[in-house]
Amino acid sequence: TNTCFNVVGDNVTIERVRFVGEGADRYGINIATGVKNTRISNIYGENIKHSLIMNDGENTLISGVYCYNCGWDCVSNYRNAKNSTIRDCFAIRCGRHGFSTDEGADGICFINCYAEDIGWIDGEGHTCFHLEGAKNSKIINCQAVYTENHPIASNDFTGIFNACRIESADTVMTNNS
């Protein structure tokens, strides 16, 4: 799998980039484990086969991201992601999740994020916000609008939901813990 940008050092800023993947087997931006203080803003991604942004770093700030028609997630916070903020981001028609965390992620904060029409292709997940194993995390003023299955799915999530809007779903939230 290819990645357009691999962030492997601390204190990196990426801004005003447009990714149009035409279904190519790649990620947009991958932040490596242990990388600190990455700032990503004003990113547009369309037709990326995997996630637009894969965050496995610490103290990451992601803002102003618009993701359309990606195969996996708009922003995925992986196992080692810590103390990261994702704000003012949009995920439209992503195939797996709009925004996600994985087992081990800690202190992830989603603010003013919007996910719509998630899970439009066959595959796993199908959630606007998939919060697997997220510890000490916050979902604030976010919206999940129409999704294949559950707008918010959690497994072992600990944290805060505040002022979120959920529409067009059979189940508002699942919790398998």
Side-chain angles (χ1 to χ4, degrees), residues 65-77:
V65 171
Y66 183 92
C67 182
Y68 179 75
N69 214 23
C70 286
W72 285 3
D73 308 349
C74 175
V75 178
S76 181
N77 296 279

Side-chain angles (χ1 to χ4, degrees), residues 4-26:
C4 294
F5 287 110
N6 273 314
V7 180
V8 295
D10 295 343
N11 304 309
V12 171
T13 298
I14 300 172
E15 52 189 16
R16 297 185 311 270
V17 177
R18 180 180 175 93
F19 298 97
V20 179
E22 299 178 11
D25 190 19
R26 67 188 57 193

Side-chain angles (χ1 to χ4, degrees), residues 83-170:
N83 303 318
S84 297
T85 299
I86 297 86
R87 67 179 313 127
D88 304 320
C89 295
F90 294 83
I92 311 295
R93 291 193 57 157
C94 292
R96 200 168 65 160
H97 311 298
F99 304 94
S100 69
T101 61
D102 206 345
E103 191 69 39
D106 191 356
I108 309 301
C109 185
F110 297 95
I111 303 171
N112 296 325
C113 291
Y114 179 90
E116 179 180 326
D117 199 12
I118 305 301
W120 59 275
I121 61 172
D122 290 334
E124 65 179 274
H126 306 308
T127 54
C128 291
F129 292 87
H130 184 79
L131 310 167
E132 183 175 330
K135 304 291 185 213
N136 306 307
S137 297
K138 298 176 184 175
I139 312 297
I140 300 170
N141 199 32
C142 292
Q143 294 186 50
V145 180
Y146 183 72
T147 185
E148 178 89 3
N149 290 334
H150 310 294
I152 299 174
S154 69
N155 181 15
D156 261 351
F157 171 84
T158 62
I160 297 170
F161 285 97
N162 186 359
C164 295
R165 178 177 170 186
I166 312 297
E167 291 184 23
S168 302
D170 295 331

